[in-house]
Amino acid sequence: MSTDWKKYDVVIIGGGPAGMSAALWCGEMGFSSVLIERELAPGGQLAAIHNPITNYIGVNAANGGELLARFTESLDRLTFERAPGADITDIDLEGKIVRSADGRAFAGRSLIIATGVRRRILGVPGENEFRGRGVMTSGAKERELAAGKAVVIIGGGDAALENALILSGYAERVIVVHRRASFSARDEFLDQVKLRSNVLLVTESNIVSINGHEAVDSITVRSTSGSEMTIPADLVLIRIGVIPNTDLITGKLATDQAGYIIVDACGRTSRTNIFAIGDVANPLAPTISTAVGTASTAIKSLLTNPIN
Ligand SMILES: Cc1cc2nc3c(=O)[nH]c(=O)nc-3n(C[C@H](O)[C@H](O)[C@H](O)COP(=O)(O)OP(=O)(O)OC[C@H]3O[C@@H](n4cnc5c(N)ncnc54)[C@H](O)[C@@H]3O)c2cc1C
């Protein structure tokens, strides 16, 4: 029977730190593999890190790009296939065949899902319309745009408050709007933010809209008690968490309530020879080290649970 796919020991979907580490360990273990990434270059969230990375042991990187260059260097000595620009839109878990939007197909004895997470969106009027015209993509990268400006940051976790610290060093004022009464950010960030005289924390308030004409000029918020107010703003940064990239496997693999893939200690999912690694299966500790670590565990476990 003729097929339109090439078969590998391991098919890896997602070229972030987890997927890259999986490709490395396939090389080390002598498994044939393909690393599939929908963007033209690998790296995943590393491309969005514009701050120094100080918590990946053994490496102090000025930013995600620098760490990515080190990862790429480690992979250069290994033989495996790369499929850049392949957005996987179809997955056959039974046959272990995946297909990309542009018609490429890859089959594996094992599939590794390393599709990571994406930023949650607010879904309010103005959010898309003003992207790049006041709605920021990165606080760290665009910090200088904030000089002398009024910035609103939406969210209550680490990302929101770390950005409040960064941007309050440049902006005239920073207002953090959070829907709950208390913040989930680590104390270290919250304590420092409270010491900044140009940062105001507005709690128990939801965003109704981001407003403006040519560019953002204000946001409208509604408090949980129902009162609405409009806050002048030149820049808005939305940091309200992430959601796992699991559209491919929804209803096909066991997930938790938030959509994260449920795995055992080896990264095994609810289906034989289908693994999930990195952030897509790790709501508790999504980091570069856990991503690369879960990858090595999954690939090494193939030695004791042989690929069939
Ligand atoms: C601003 C920022 C700062 C951070 N700082 C740190 C830090 O200091 N220390 C730290 O440890 N961690 C940090 N992180 C988190 C860290 O980057 C992530 O934990 C890590 O990148 C997770 O790796 P991953 O491979 O699981 O997922 P990702 O990096 O999300 O990679 C997933 C990849 O899969 C691809 N993909 C998704 N769906 C498909 C599909 N259908 N077909 C093909 N490809 C697909 C995506 O394009 C992406 O390239 C930070 C993250 C951000 C955003």
Side-chain angles (χ1 to χ4, degrees), residues 8-147:
Y8 305 85
D9 290 330
V10 183
V11 167
I12 306 160
I13 312 164
M20 293 176 89
S21 171
L24 182 144
W25 279 97
C26 283
E28 294 261 327
M29 298 286 122
F31 297 133
S32 64
S33 70
V34 58
L35 179 62
I36 305 172
E37 168 54 48
R38 70 171 154 211
E39 302 296 336
L40 292 176
Q45 292 170 64
L46 293 184
I49 306 179
H50 303 288
N51 271 341
I53 300 174
T54 53
N55 44 30
Y56 186 71
I57 193 161
V59 181
N60 274 319
N63 49 46
E66 192 175 309
L67 186 59
L68 175 59
R70 307 268 188 104
F71 282 8
T72 308
E73 222 175 276
S74 302
L75 291 179
D76 280 347
R77 68 190 164 85
L78 295 164
T79 309
F80 63 92
E81 282 193 34
R82 294 151 204 259
D87 182 10
I88 299 302
T89 49
D90 183 62
I91 187 164
D92 164 5
L93 295 180
E94 199 54 51
K96 300 188 184 64
I97 302 160
V98 302
R99 293 178 189 280
S100 62
D102 62 0
R104 284 177 271 177
F106 312 85
R109 294 185 171 83
S110 286
L111 299 185
I112 305 276
I113 300 166
T115 47
V117 296
R118 62 179 180 276
R119 288 214 162 95
R120 191 182 287 282
I121 59 164
L122 274 172
V124 299
E127 181 176 15
N128 279 334
E129 192 186 338
F130 292 116
R131 218 166 272 283
R133 293 189 296 136
V135 174
M136 305 173 85
T137 53
S138 163
K141 191 175 171 194
E142 298 170 339
R143 63 184 87 194
E144 281 167 17
L145 287 182

